[in-house]
Amino acid sequence: MSDEHTHVQEFFTARAADWDSRFPHDGPAYAAAVAEVGLRPGDRVLDAGCGTGRALPPLRAAVGPSGVVLGADLTPAMLKSAVRAGRERDGRLLLADVAALPLRSGSLDAVFAAGLIAHLPRPVDNLRELARAVRPDGTLALFHPIGRAALAARQGRQITPDDLRAEANLGPLLARSGWRMTSYTDEDARFLALAVRAG
């Protein structure tokens, strides 16, 4: 396992047990973001870097009982927290690295990724792997329940020009990774960038 993976696992393992209680009011923001992805009954969707699985219930509601919902995360402790919260009923949980998904090419209709991009060690390659798993014209949603400025203030830091989530940086990054950005929202109450997989 790389140093980056070890660091991510250590960071989230230390926070897994109380993650949901630290952010108890994020549920509606997740549901609203999922509603904008455009999922249909029967779709196959991956929550990439699912953590405690907070997106799984709205994803299941969107794709219905005939759809497939997967949640992949690198940190076993986060997946255990998802199980304790009962979210494994809404999707199949996978201990997996989003840089090497155990999925067939083109097997998904969409990927939902909350807070993931800041933790990708090789963003172009990692986003390209997500594109590999999605069918042409499938959707990617990069989400965070608060916007960039609010998140920076919470963390006691300033936004820098090289922030990957800045619109001027994210569009080209997605284009190099096999995606085309279709919408971008960065408000205090949420961050949501939608993209489609290039044909």
Side-chain angles (χ1 to χ4, degrees):
M1 186 178 298
S2 71
D3 289 345
E4 293 96 344
H5 289 97
T6 300
H7 174 73
V8 168
Q9 276 193 335
E10 289 172 351
F11 178 89
F12 285 108
T13 296
R15 293 160 175 80
D18 67 345
W19 188 262
D20 286 354
S21 63
R22 291 176 62 203
F23 309 106
H25 305 297
D26 287 349
Y30 274 79
V34 167
E36 291 196 38
V37 177
L39 294 166
R40 295 168 299 198
D43 275 355
R44 300 155 297 169
V45 60
L46 169 69
D47 182 2
C50 67
T52 62
R54 291 181 294 170
L56 298 181
L59 290 171
R60 171 55 67 198
V63 304
S66 64
V68 173
V69 178
L70 304 172
D73 203 275
L74 186 65
T75 306
M78 289 299 248
L79 295 177
K80 287 178 185 170
S81 290
V83 170
R84 278 195 300 275
R87 295 181 182 127
E88 83 284 1
R89 292 188 298 266
D90 294 303
R92 181 175 170 215
L93 298 174
L94 306 171
L95 179 62
D97 183 356
V98 298
L101 292 168
L103 301 172
R104 291 188 328 272
S105 295
S107 61
L108 300 171
D109 296 294
V111 172
F112 186 88
L116 177 71
I117 194 164
H119 301 287
L120 297 177
R122 295 183 312 281
V124 171
D125 293 339
N126 302 149
L127 291 168
R128 189 174 289 135
E129 171 64 0
L130 295 178
R132 180 197 64 78
V134 174
R135 63 169 171 77
D137 296 322
T139 304
L140 171 67
L142 299 175
F143 167 72
H144 201 283
I146 60 175
R148 294 187 312 126
L151 181 61
R154 177 191 285 175
Q155 296 172 342
R157 61 178 177 82
Q158 298 290 320
I159 296 176
T160 60
D162 62 348
D163 181 355
L164 289 180
R165 296 190 310 155
E167 187 171 10
N169 298 332
L170 187 58
L173 170 63
L174 288 167
R176 292 195 307 274
S177 307
W179 299 97
R180 179 176 54 83
M181 191 160 69
T182 56
S183 71
Y184 181 91
T185 304
D186 182 17
E187 306 165 339
D188 280 350
R190 73 164 179 173
F191 175 91
L192 181 64
L194 297 176
V196 295
R197 183 184 178 281

